[in-house]
Amino acid sequence: MAEDNQNGKNGNRLGLLERVKAGVKEDVQSLKTDLPAKAKDQVEHLKDPTKTQVYTSIFRHKHDDTPRNRALGVLSNVFLHLHPAKINRDAVRYSYTWGMGGITFYLFIVLTFTGVLLMFYYHPTKVQAFRDVLYLEHDVPFGKLLRNMHRWAAHLMVIAVWLHMFRVFLTGSYKKPREFNWNIGVLLLVFTLLLSFTGYLLPDDQLGFWAVTVGTNMARATPLLGHEGPFGHMLGMTPYNDVRFGLLGGSIVDANALLRSYIWHCIGIPIVASVLMIVHFWRVRKDGGISGPAPVMLESEVKEPK
Amino acid sequence: MDWRQLWEIASAPDNVPIVGMIPLLAFYIYLAWKQAKANDELIGELEASPAMAKTHHRKSWPFRPGWSKEVHVWPFLLRIEFLAAMIVTIILMVWSITLSAPLEEPANPNLTMNPAKAPWYFLGLQEMLVYFDPWIAGVVMPTLIIIGLMVIPYIDTNPLGSGYYTWKQRKFAIGTFLFGFIVLWISMIIIGTFIRGPGWQWFWPGQTWDHNRLIYEVNRDLPDLFGIASNWAKAVFGAIVVGGYYLVGGFVAHGLFRRYNPKDYKRMSLLQYSIMMFFLLTMVGLPAKMLLRLAWHIKYVWITPWFNV
Ligand code: HEM
């Protein structure tokens, strides 16, 4: 066929075939020579993954142990940049902060994680809530562990917040310029307790039901806004329009109270608390980092106002 | 001694945290006290020797010239944070494997729990229901606690003791806080958790809970003791007693504060001073009212058509 076509009118076509042939030959040749060379290169390259484009796109600087890189490791990481690069040498002593703020925050993360997992199994309705907890306890793989961890982390968080506040007070860390952050902290304390309280009702068992009944019964007595509170009558408060009604979505602890509890517990309060935590951490940095351990000051050095 | 009763209370799963918290709190008080003592000793030495005050690095921890004042967060802080997270996780895991969260019968509005207790961290307030009406114990007190905590930075004018543990330089502030936190808050929680039984009656630790026990306690109101009968007279009388408490108490507190805290007194503005006095007297008012009840069976001091105190 090739001979035939050599002088044919379809010279072009014939030339094409020639070229294709030559091209294929070249390709085969290149596979033989280039591929092994490239493969060798690739292996060389993979021996040092820190040089790959993927790696350098993720990590923005080298990690060899130089002071500069140690600092960059903290500063260029979105999660770690809450921290400064360097801190007071004594501030890392456990005995000063007791690590309680950090532990509180860690427990909050654990609670978010276990809480979201619990939400996969829980329906906030009178028919299902209690059964869902039974189901979690007996059938869901690790369900019992999950529920226990959520419960105990919540209790631990209350303890940790109190201890954190206690140490902040004892070290005088609320003094200028940290007055505002102390106030954010007080709000966080309140929201931590409210989180625990709203969660208490969710298993829909006797324990939660009566605790919440006792708790919200006090709201009846709110001055001005409760129907049994001082001056409540004068403002036209009844069991069907006072603050307690607003909290429970009814005049008794029932389906609406369960739903409201659930929404406050899983959405409302966590969002508010998260925002407050962001502000809290931001202010710790802006107020000059942890307050101490600072050099002691003497009475004689206080500048008395005139 | 009913050990079983005691064990039942202390081992109720939701009470375990408060049982654990007591030694934890004791440990941290010790830790703070140890550092305060070291710092106070250092302060004493520096005050005695101005030359030393000029050169000393002013911490009770060692420091040598040439040591850097700062350390890198990585690894010196982050490794501690990592370790702390590990330890907390392990504690939580072990705790969750060995102790199960409580689950009672399904909620039943027709079957009252007795005693119906709030979770332990609210039992201080629930205990206050014994001595105060719900609008005070349940609404006014929490509000005052929150506001009281919030004003602390603005009424504590003492510039000393910022950023280190000390007792000597902040006796009044720390003493007041300990009174509020330990005596009023924690110990009321302990009473609410371990002492209160059915009917919210007082059962000593180890005393068997008797669900049928009745206590015939006749409580009187203060105006009755003085033979005041008319409603208006009662209201006026109560206002005078409560107002009198704040006035006389304030006068005594003023005398003491001025004498023992002259520097703070001088620094404080009228507003700061009156806010501090209000909270101080209100705090002291709690045990005062409790004493009235426990010693003289007095229920209300101030009776009006709208509210009773
Ligand atoms: C959800 C609750 C809270 C979280 C997660 C939290 C977290 C933190 C963290 C991580 C720090 C850094 C120092 C440390 O660990 O001690 C801190 C500092 C601080 N916190 Fe909180 N905190 C909470 C509640 C509170 C409360 C209840 C108060 C006081 C009423 C408070 C007042 C402060 C203050 C004033 C600082 C600065 C302390 C200093 O500079 O030494 N915080 N917080």
Side-chain angles (χ1 to χ4, degrees):
Chain A
M1 266 245 287
E3 264 109 305
D4 273 0
N5 293 336
Q6 213 139 38
N7 305 318
K9 278 186 183 156
N10 295 340
N12 272 341
R13 246 177 101 191
L14 292 176
L16 180 67
L17 201 66
E18 267 306 287
R19 262 181 281 150
V20 168
K21 254 171 118 184
V24 168
K25 217 170 181 179
E26 240 173 64
D27 290 348
V28 171
Q29 188 56 37
S30 83
L31 278 182
K32 276 193 194 139
T33 55
D34 293 3
L35 262 196
K38 273 199 188 295
K40 218 170 145 200
D41 262 6
Q42 190 75 66
V43 170
E44 256 343 278
H45 211 58
L46 286 178
K47 275 191 191 153
D48 188 1
T50 63
K51 293 232 168 60
T52 60
Q53 189 183 1
V54 173
Y55 185 94
T56 53
S57 73
I58 300 173
F59 301 101
R60 300 178 53 238
H61 59 85
K62 292 209 186 89
H63 282 93
D64 42 327
D65 192 7
T66 62
R68 184 184 137 80
N69 285 336
R70 279 190 183 186
L72 282 175
V74 173
L75 296 181
S76 66
N77 179 301
V78 66
F79 301 107
L80 299 182
H81 92 282
L82 278 173
H83 292 304
K86 282 181 160 191
I87 46 165
N88 181 339
R89 69 175 297 124
D90 293 316
V92 297
R93 285 177 191 273
Y94 181 77
S95 55
Y96 183 70
T97 66
W98 311 345
M100 277 304 156
I103 290 175
T104 310
F105 181 56
Y106 179 66
L107 287 167
F108 183 74
I109 294 172
V110 170
L111 284 162
T112 311
F113 184 72
T114 52
V116 168
L117 291 180
L118 287 174
M119 284 171 82
F120 284 127
Y121 295 96
Y122 178 87
H123 306 74
T125 65
K126 280 304 247 189
V127 180
Q128 279 161 296
F130 187 79
R131 290 187 202 173
D132 286 340
V133 180
L134 284 182
Y135 180 58
L136 266 163
E137 294 238 310
H138 299 294
D139 292 312
V140 176
F142 298 107
K144 194 169 187 127
L145 183 68
L146 193 62
R147 172 162 186 249
N148 289 349
M149 277 188 77
H150 194 73
R151 180 77 156 215
W152 303 135
H155 282 264
L156 260 187
M157 184 170 166
V158 172
I159 295 176
V161 184
W162 289 2
L163 288 175
H164 173 57
M165 177 180 77
F166 192 41
R167 97 87 189 144
V168 169
F169 187 90
L170 290 180
T171 55
S173 301
Y174 57 83
K175 299 187 180 197
K176 233 183 243 171
R178 297 182 177 81
E179 305 98 318
F180 182 74
N181 214 16
W182 167 270
N183 279 278
I184 300 284
V186 175
L187 292 179
L188 278 169
L189 173 79
V190 174
F191 283 114
T192 304
L193 291 174
L194 285 180
L195 270 174
S196 294
F197 189 64
T198 50
Y200 221 66
L201 182 66
L202 298 184
D204 197 27
D205 66 342
Q206 282 285 71
L207 204 59
F209 176 84
W210 286 103
V212 171
T213 302
V214 170
T216 49
N217 274 350
M218 297 197 202
R220 279 186 230 241
T222 312
L224 306 177
L225 297 178
H227 72 276
E228 283 174 7
F231 310 108
H233 280 302
M234 297 178 188
L235 289 175
M237 290 299 154
T238 70
Y240 305 100
N241 66 1
D242 66 350
V243 267
R244 181 165 172 279
F245 189 92
L247 289 174
L248 296 178
S251 58
I252 51 166
V253 179
D254 203 25
N256 286 351
L258 190 60
L259 183 62
R260 284 189 187 199
S261 233
Y262 177 76
I263 294 172
W264 280 120
H265 185 77
C266 302
I267 303 173
I269 306 175
I271 290 178
V272 179
S274 303
V275 171
L276 286 172
M277 278 184 214
I278 293 171
V279 178
H280 195 60
F281 300 154
W282 172 256
R283 280 302 291 242
V284 171
R285 283 295 300 279
K286 290 291 146 181
D287 293 338
I290 300 302
S291 58
V296 299
M297 210 166 126
L298 303 185
E299 186 91 55
S300 54
E301 294 161 346
V302 175
K303 287 184 209 76
E304 291 296 343
K306 282 118 236 160
Chain B
M1 191 76 190
D2 185 349
W3 290 104
R4 228 188 109 233
Q5 180 71 59
L6 191 63
W7 173 248
E8 247 168 46
I9 299 172
S11 69
D14 267 357
N15 287 347
V16 168
I18 174 74
V19 175
M21 184 184 167
I22 297 167
L24 204 60
L25 191 59
F27 168 74
Y28 282 113
I29 291 176
Y30 161 76
L31 192 62
W33 173 78
K34 207 178 77 170
Q35 294 174 83
K37 191 162 160 261
N39 283 336
D40 286 348
E41 272 162 18
L42 177 64
I43 290 167
E45 280 174 41
L46 295 180
E47 269 167 351
S49 144
M52 188 178 164
K54 278 215 182 80
T55 53
H56 197 274
H57 68 281
R58 296 197 171 202
K59 289 185 192 175
S60 45
W61 290 306
F63 183 79
R64 294 229 179 78
W67 285 6
S68 65
K69 283 225 163 70
E70 294 192 315
V71 292
H72 274 287
V73 161
W74 170 256
F76 297 106
L77 177 60
L78 289 176
R79 70 177 179 197
I80 295 175
E81 289 179 351
F82 182 69
L83 198 64
M86 296 285 281
I87 292 172
V88 172
T89 312
I90 291 171
I91 291 174
L92 207 58
M93 281 280 185
V94 172
W95 187 359
S96 302
I97 290 169
T98 50
L99 186 72
S100 277
L103 187 66
E104 302 276 331
E105 298 293 304
N108 183 351
N110 301 317
L111 191 71
T112 321
M113 291 254 282
N114 189 10
K117 288 193 185 184
W120 58 267
Y121 34 83
F122 287 132
L123 287 187
L125 292 172
Q126 202 176 343
E127 173 67 13
M128 284 295 114
L129 280 173
V130 176
Y131 307 99
F132 295 92
D133 277 0
W135 68 276
I136 301 186
V139 184
V140 175
M141 276 189 201
T143 312
L144 285 182
I145 293 171
I146 294 167
I147 297 178
L149 284 171
M150 288 184 136
V151 297
I152 288 176
Y154 302 103
I155 57 177
D156 181 355
T157 54
N158 181 0
L160 294 173
S162 170
Y164 51 92
Y165 292 90
T166 170
W167 161 249
K168 232 167 66 173
Q169 294 183 332
R170 299 175 60 208
K171 283 183 190 161
F172 178 71
I174 290 179
T176 314
F177 195 81
L178 286 179
F179 173 68
F181 184 57
I182 306 290
V183 179
L184 293 184
W185 188 248
I186 300 289
S187 66
M188 288 304 133
I189 288 176
I190 291 174
I191 290 177
T193 311
F194 297 106
I195 309 262
R196 294 300 180 174
W200 210 256
Q201 289 179 16
W202 190 282
F203 290 89
W204 290 103
Q207 200 183 344
T208 315
W209 279 9
D210 176 358
H211 284 263
N212 301 314
R213 184 169 87 173
L214 289 176
I215 293 183
Y216 292 100
E217 197 183 56
V218 184
N219 286 322
R220 300 161 290 184
D221 298 328
L222 193 62
D224 298 341
L225 288 190
F226 291 83
I228 298 169
S230 114
N231 280 349
W232 276 108
K234 279 184 182 176
V236 172
F237 171 81
I240 293 175
V241 173
V242 174
Y245 165 73
Y246 277 91
L247 282 179
V248 177
F251 188 71
V252 174
H254 171 73
L256 292 174
F257 194 78
R258 207 179 59 88
R259 259 182 206 87
Y260 293 105
N261 254 337
K263 294 216 168 77
D264 281 335
Y265 176 65
K266 214 172 135 213
R267 275 190 289 256
M268 290 173 93
S269 72
L270 181 62
L271 188 61
Q272 287 172 322
Y273 193 62
S274 13
I275 291 176
M276 182 200 76
M277 278 296 172
F278 169 74
F279 279 107
L280 191 64
L281 291 168
T282 309
M283 256 166 82
V284 176
L286 298 190
K289 174 97 198 269
M290 289 164 70
L291 185 72
L292 284 183
R293 165 66 66 82
L294 296 175
W296 294 286
H297 295 288
I298 288 168
K299 187 161 168 65
Y300 293 125
V301 171
W302 186 7
I303 299 171
T304 74
W306 312 284
F307 62 86
N308 302 317
V309 176

